[in-house]
Amino acid sequence: MTIGFFDSGIGGLSVLAESLRRLPDQDYLYMADTLHVPYGPKSQDEVKGYVFEAVERMMQEGIDALVVACNTATSIAVEELREMYDLPIVGMEPAVKPAVEMNRATGKRVLVMATALTLTMPRYYALISRVDDGGIVDSLPLPELVPYCESLQFDPAVLEPYFRSKLAAYNLDDYGIIVLGCTHYPFYADILRNVLPPHISIVDGNAGTIRRLSALLNRFGIVGHGSGRVKFMCTGNEPAYLDKMQTALAFVSENLARREEAAL
Ligand code: DGL
């Protein structure tokens, strides 16, 4: 069976890395919308059209389930995609609910980092009003981070000052958890860790998304007989980008393996 993963660029590879670990018997098709990345600064209507086009290409390739491995695309298009296509579709949303629950006992605040578009969508407001009954959630867009990630800029000498300046206005003693609400951001988890005080945890929605995917695959009887093979595609058909995706997937997979070993 083939599971499709979609993102504007390489961000969704952080989710695919989790899926390759948990569901190694499936095969994968990963599509990056290189013609239109980044989505964050664009309008809702523009992004919706791009998502529909790219997902249609994936359907023509043949997939058995779809993970919209992009918080921005999910908040704009997931409901309509579910109406358009008859297959299991898993979306992503910032992991605010578990973060609020984890923080309840400490009385500390939660800071959600995501794209400007995700943070201004009705879906995000609905999520906050559903789960943030104590008014402890703050939101911070990071518009430079997706362009950094797409150009494989992972130099701490650039990124640490960047995060410090973005966080300068916050009293970090008041915060207990940072939620990475964009699938590009986990690429920076280690760098962010270095600029945060040790009491702040960093969470993302990747593991929860793959748990949900796994439950849906079971429910629909989509049993994997594959070997974790990944076919990479991008809307711009750039061969160099296909290489970049391989490098980026190796990078996030190693980070994930290292974090899991450290947690054992
Ligand atoms: N990776 C995407 C997300 O999770 C979108 C990034 C972008 O294209 O701005 O929101």
Side-chain angles (χ1 to χ4, degrees), residues 7-8 11-12 37-41 69-73 115 118 146 181-184:
D7 182 42
S8 59
V37 64
Y39 284 170
C70 173
N71 294 261
T72 312
T115 68
T118 297
V146 170
C182 166
T183 55
H184 282 77

Side-chain angles (χ1 to χ4, degrees), residues 8-109:
S8 59
I10 59 173
L13 294 170
S14 66
V15 195
L16 178 62
E18 183 80 33
S19 201
L20 283 165
R21 270 180 95 74
R22 305 284 157 240
L23 304 168
D25 297 341
Q26 300 289 350
D27 288 323
Y28 296 90
L29 169 70
Y30 185 92
M31 170 72 91
D33 189 6
T34 46
L35 285 177
H36 307 114
V37 64
Y39 284 170
K42 298 192 170 71
S43 79
Q44 186 182 333
D45 285 347
E46 225 180 326
V47 171
K48 192 188 278 193
Y50 299 150
V51 174
F52 287 171
E53 265 174 52
V55 169
E56 178 54 31
R57 273 188 63 180
M58 297 177 78
M59 296 296 167
Q60 279 161 17
E61 281 293 310
I63 54 174
D64 302 289
L66 172 67
V67 178
V68 184
C70 173
N71 294 261
T72 312
T74 298
S75 56
I76 286 171
V78 78
E79 269 96 16
E80 280 169 86
L81 289 172
R82 289 193 179 113
E83 279 164 23
M84 289 158 72
Y85 299 107
D86 187 19
L87 84 183
I89 299 183
V90 180
M92 296 201 66
E93 65 182 14
V96 182
K97 188 167 187 269
V100 168
E101 278 160 13
M102 279 158 73
N103 246 14
R104 218 175 275 285
T106 65
K108 300 235 183 240
R109 301 186 67 76

